């Protein structure tokens, strides 16, 4: 009896999957445990093994297509068995229905329909799309191609390096044949699931596969063209109707400034640059007509009365621009979402670090790796969170998640922006263990070798700018965490101890809280516990 195969839920956050590659085709015999497809989830590309046996009667989504979790992607059964009744429930994609209705409604659309009916399988080709390489990735930049059109590709070859919002990763072909098409040049970006390459038999014409996509966009472009022309035509009379207003004249900022100082209307100046743009030399060489004689007459007496003559200083306004990296795009999007979604409030406390300084010096005489003050803060935060689970929480919309484990995200500055690798179960690790792990993360972050497993799953974040001499600051919460700790520098200041003013070492901590899950008193109680641990660090070793 025929059985449907559904898209499995391969991670806790997965809502849909993309068929990266089919390893079986319709008519193949499938045994339990056989690899039938590779599925791109929101976390990684995973192998999908069959738990059923039979002949593959039907394949729903094509390679590169996304389909929701629990939707039908294939049907297994006896060879020649009628399976269409299983698809009538509506779970499977309606591709066969579309094929049944393939009759052209108009003579003009016949060629288009025949082109769109050609699939990669028909040409024995494999379409390689931009994979989803991290949970926050929406597009990737091709850092470099490792092969060129015409090269022979093996299934395990890394055909390209892709720069994501987190790191630079390799894209594996998962196909054998000749590289027939490259859709994105090195340095250019492509959206997730966009076609970036096609692999197949040498000499195959892949034009039918490429022509399926841009048809609708071409029509849209044609529809937009008249609108743009109409706008241009309507703008022309408006500009010509006001000869005194030169704000619409194409001119460089320097030329506009000089013209303003000399009282020259740019409408009267003929531009020599590309497109008639007015530049500095055009304004300086401009000779006014006889019309402004009256203006000259009125200005002459004023010139005679001047007693101080200041030389004219002309500066040049200039700047440089660079494309926004994938990492910076994601930082802007995620922090914007956090700041404008989560109602932030901040609490600041001063810590006496004298005992911590003495303890660190003693620890580093015996520790296998050098322990930093940041390592001590991470350990103290993890221990304090176990006593205040409300701070170790996150907003889930219709519920609040109280995490019983302590995974501490450590904010690290890199060349392109900011990464937050996670020290997992930090409360149970020694200071030396935490120090070694953080140093390893820092090295990977600088060389862009961090993997998604390194930066996912934080429950609380620590951001330290003390090494830059920053006294105190506030941070934007690293969503979905419910709080973030900002660590300032240790400052030598006068303090009062036992009624006397003595030198002291003070460090300021600022706790940023999501008010949806953490109240003021809750955050304050957490800071009190953290303050006690840092001022008596022997408690961290108990």
């Amino acid at each position: 009896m025929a059985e449907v195969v559904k898209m499995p839920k391969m991670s806790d956050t997965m809502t849909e999957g993309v068929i990266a590659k089919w390893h079986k085709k319709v008519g193949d015999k499938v045994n339990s445990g056989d690899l039938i497809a590779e599925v791109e989830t929101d976390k990684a590309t995973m192998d999908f093994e069959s738990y059923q046996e039979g002949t593959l009667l039907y394949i729903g989504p094509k390679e590169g297509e996304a389909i929701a979790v629990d939707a039908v992607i294939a049907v297994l059964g006896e060879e020649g068995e009628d399976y269409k009744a299983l698809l009538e429930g509506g779970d499977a994609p309606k591709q066969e229905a579309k094929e049944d209705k393939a009759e052209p409604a108009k003579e003009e659309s016949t060629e288009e329909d025949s082109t769109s009916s050609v699939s990669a399988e028909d040409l024995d080709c494999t379409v390689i799309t931009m994979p989803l390489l991290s949970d926050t990735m929406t597009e990737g930049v091709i850092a470099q191609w490792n092969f060129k059109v015409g090269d022979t590709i093996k299934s395990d070859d890394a055909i390209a390096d892709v720069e994501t919002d987190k790191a630079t990763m390799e894209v594996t072909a998962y196909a054998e044949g000749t590289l027939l098409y490259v859709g994105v040049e090195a340095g250019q970006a492509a959206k997730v699931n966009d076609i970036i390459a096609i692999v197949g038999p040498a000499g195959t014409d892949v034009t039918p596969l490429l022509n399926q996509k841009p048809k609708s966009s071409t029509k849209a472009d044609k529809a937009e063209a008249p609108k743009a022309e109409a706008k241009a035509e309507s703008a022309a009379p408006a500009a010509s109707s006001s000869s005194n207003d030169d704000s619409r004249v194409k001119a460089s900022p320097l030329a506009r400034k000089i013209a303003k100082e000399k009282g020259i209307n740019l409408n009267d100046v003929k531009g020599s640059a590309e497109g008639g743009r007015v530049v500095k030399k055009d304004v300086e060489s401009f000779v006014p007509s006889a019309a402004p004689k009256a203006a000259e007459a009125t200005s002459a007496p004023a010139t005679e009365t001047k007693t101080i003559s200041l030389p004219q200083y002309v500066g040049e306004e200039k700047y440089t621009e660079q494309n926004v990296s994938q990492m910076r795009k994601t930082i802007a999007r995620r922090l914007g979402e956090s700041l404008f979604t989560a109602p932030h409030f901040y609490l600041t406390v001063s810590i006496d670090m004298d005992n911590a300084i003495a303890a660190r010096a003693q620890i580093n005489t015996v520790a296998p790796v050098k322990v930093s003050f940041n390592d001590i803060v991470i350990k103290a935060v993890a221990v304090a969170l176990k006593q205040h689970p409300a701070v170790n929480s996150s907003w889930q919309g219709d519920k609040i998640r109280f995490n019983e484990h302590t995974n501490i995200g450590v904010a690290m500055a890199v060349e392109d922006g900011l990464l937050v690798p996670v020290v997992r179960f930090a409360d149970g690790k020694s200071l030396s263990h935490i120090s070694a792990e953080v140093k390893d993360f820092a090295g990977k972050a600088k060389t862009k070798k961090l993997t998604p497993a390194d930066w996912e799953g934080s429950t609380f974040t620590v951001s330290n700018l003390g090494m830059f001499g920053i006294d105190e600051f506030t941070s934007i919460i690293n969503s979905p965490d419910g709080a973030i700790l900002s660590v300032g520098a240790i400052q030598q200041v006068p303090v009062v101890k036992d009624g006397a003013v003595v030198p002291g070492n003070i460090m300021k901590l600022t706790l940023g809280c999501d008010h949806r899950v953490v109240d003021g008193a809750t955050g304050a109680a957490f800071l009190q516990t953290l303050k006690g641990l840092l001022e008596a660090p022997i408690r961290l070793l108990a």
Side-chain angles (χ1 to χ4, degrees):
M1 180 178 178
E3 296 180 87
V4 296
V5 180
K6 297 185 177 181
M7 174 63 71
K9 187 177 179 69
M10 294 178 164
S11 76
D12 56 343
T13 58
M14 177 179 173
T15 57
E16 66 177 14
V18 175
I19 301 296
K21 180 177 178 63
W22 283 105
H23 287 273
K24 300 287 185 180
K25 61 182 182 294
V26 172
D28 285 354
K29 185 71 176 177
V30 177
N31 296 317
S32 178
D34 282 355
L35 175 63
I36 62 172
E38 293 174 19
V39 177
E40 291 178 17
T41 73
D42 57 336
K43 303 291 186 184
T45 299
M46 303 182 184
D47 293 339
F48 176 39
E49 297 178 355
S50 174
Y51 295 101
Q52 300 141 304
E53 295 186 355
T55 300
L56 188 56
L57 304 175
Y58 165 83
I59 286 179
K62 297 178 181 178
E63 292 181 354
E65 290 186 0
I67 189 166
V69 169
D70 290 334
V72 175
I73 61 173
V75 177
L76 290 172
E78 298 292 335
E79 186 173 356
E81 183 177 357
D82 184 9
Y83 60 86
K84 293 185 178 180
L86 294 175
L87 305 179
E88 292 176 356
D91 290 331
K94 306 296 184 182
Q95 292 180 331
E96 292 194 354
K98 292 180 181 178
E99 292 173 2
D100 294 340
K101 298 178 181 178
E103 296 183 9
K106 298 180 181 179
E107 293 182 1
E108 298 176 356
S109 63
T110 304
E111 183 179 351
E112 180 177 343
D113 292 341
S114 62
T115 302
S116 61
S117 65
V118 177
S119 67
E121 292 181 357
D122 295 335
L123 300 178
D124 197 21
C125 294
T126 299
V127 175
I128 301 175
T129 60
M130 176 62 71
L132 185 67
L133 298 174
S134 79
D135 56 337
T136 58
M137 176 180 172
T138 57
E139 65 179 12
V141 173
I142 300 294
Q144 70 173 23
W145 284 103
N146 300 325
F147 295 88
K148 63 182 183 295
V149 173
D151 287 352
T152 300
I153 306 294
K154 296 180 180 178
S155 62
D156 58 349
D157 282 341
I159 63 170
D161 294 341
V162 173
E163 178 191 346
T164 73
D165 56 331
K166 302 288 188 182
T168 299
M169 301 183 183
E170 296 179 342
V171 175
T172 304
Y174 295 117
E176 294 190 358
T178 301
L179 185 58
L180 303 172
Y181 169 78
V182 168
V184 183
E185 298 294 331
Q188 294 182 347
K191 299 287 185 184
V192 170
N193 296 330
D194 279 358
I195 296 176
I196 59 173
I198 298 177
V199 176
T204 303
D205 182 9
V206 297
T207 305
L209 296 178
L210 302 177
N211 286 344
Q212 294 176 17
K213 183 178 179 181
K215 300 257 181 203
S216 59
S217 59
T218 304
K219 294 177 182 177
D221 293 342
K222 290 179 179 178
E224 290 294 330
K227 295 181 182 179
E229 292 175 3
K231 288 182 180 178
E233 291 173 0
S234 62
S240 61
S241 63
S242 177
S243 59
N244 294 327
D245 181 10
D246 61 1
S247 62
R248 293 182 177 273
V249 176
K250 290 184 181 178
S252 70
L254 180 58
R256 192 173 295 280
K257 181 179 180 182
I258 297 174
K260 183 177 181 181
E261 292 173 349
K262 292 187 175 184
I264 298 174
N265 190 317
L266 291 176
N267 286 306
D268 301 328
V269 182
K270 184 176 180 180
S272 61
E274 184 179 355
R277 187 168 181 259
V278 178
V279 294
K280 174 185 174 184
K281 67 177 182 180
D282 300 328
V283 178
E284 291 180 337
S285 61
F286 175 71
V287 178
S289 61
K293 285 185 178 179
E296 292 178 4
T298 56
S299 62
T303 304
E304 293 174 1
T305 59
K306 287 184 179 178
T307 56
I308 299 176
S309 177
L310 294 176
Q312 182 180 1
Y313 179 83
V314 178
E316 182 181 359
E317 298 179 0
K318 59 182 181 179
Y319 56 86
T320 59
E321 293 181 344
Q322 64 181 28
N323 294 330
V324 180
S325 67
Q326 297 301 104
M327 182 182 296
R328 182 57 60 185
K329 287 179 182 178
T330 300
I331 290 172
R333 176 175 58 82
R334 286 177 59 85
L335 293 186
E337 290 173 354
S338 176
L339 182 62
F340 299 120
T341 302
H344 287 53
F345 75 90
Y346 297 95
L347 303 170
T348 301
V349 66
S350 296
I351 310 295
D352 183 348
M353 294 293 287
D354 286 349
N355 290 335
I357 292 173
R360 175 175 177 261
Q362 294 178 9
I363 291 170
N364 282 335
T365 60
V366 296
V369 293
K370 186 177 180 180
V371 173
S372 69
F373 288 112
N374 198 52
D375 301 329
I376 297 174
V377 170
I378 292 170
K379 174 71 174 181
V381 164
V383 173
L385 286 174
K386 297 296 285 187
Q387 301 179 42
H388 301 274
V391 182
N392 196 33
S393 60
S394 61
W395 180 260
Q396 301 291 319
D398 58 347
K399 63 186 70 173
I400 297 175
R401 176 176 295 171
F402 296 96
N403 298 296
E404 298 178 11
H405 57 286
T406 55
N407 289 351
I408 308 301
V410 184
M412 293 183 177
V414 293
E415 183 179 356
D416 294 334
L418 187 71
L419 291 174
V420 188
V422 180
V423 178
R424 302 179 188 279
F425 313 111
D427 60 303
K429 294 179 178 177
S430 67
L431 289 171
S432 298
H433 192 153
I434 292 173
S435 177
E437 201 166 321
V438 171
K439 286 180 174 62
D440 182 56
F441 283 145
K444 288 182 178 179
K446 289 180 180 178
T447 57
K448 293 187 175 182
K449 298 298 184 183
L450 288 174
T451 64
D454 294 328
W455 64 67
E456 294 173 352
S458 68
T459 62
F460 187 96
T461 302
V462 172
S463 179
N464 191 340
L465 293 179
M467 67 287 292
F468 298 106
I470 302 301
D471 294 344
E472 62 179 302
F473 65 103
T474 59
S475 303
I476 299 174
I477 296 169
N478 180 33
S479 179
D481 298 354
I484 187 170
L485 187 71
S486 306
V487 183
I490 299 175
Q491 300 287 331
Q492 290 188 330
V493 296
V495 298
V496 178
K497 289 186 178 181
D498 300 326
V501 178
V502 296
N505 295 280
I506 300 299
M507 179 177 72
K508 291 186 177 181
L509 303 178
T510 300
L511 181 67
C513 303
D514 181 349
H515 216 326
R516 295 174 299 180
V517 294
V518 180
D519 294 327
T522 305
F526 168 78
L527 283 179
Q528 283 184 334
T529 301
L530 182 60
K531 177 182 173 73
L533 290 169
L534 291 173
E535 291 185 344
I538 191 67
R539 295 166 57 188
L540 296 175
L541 307 177

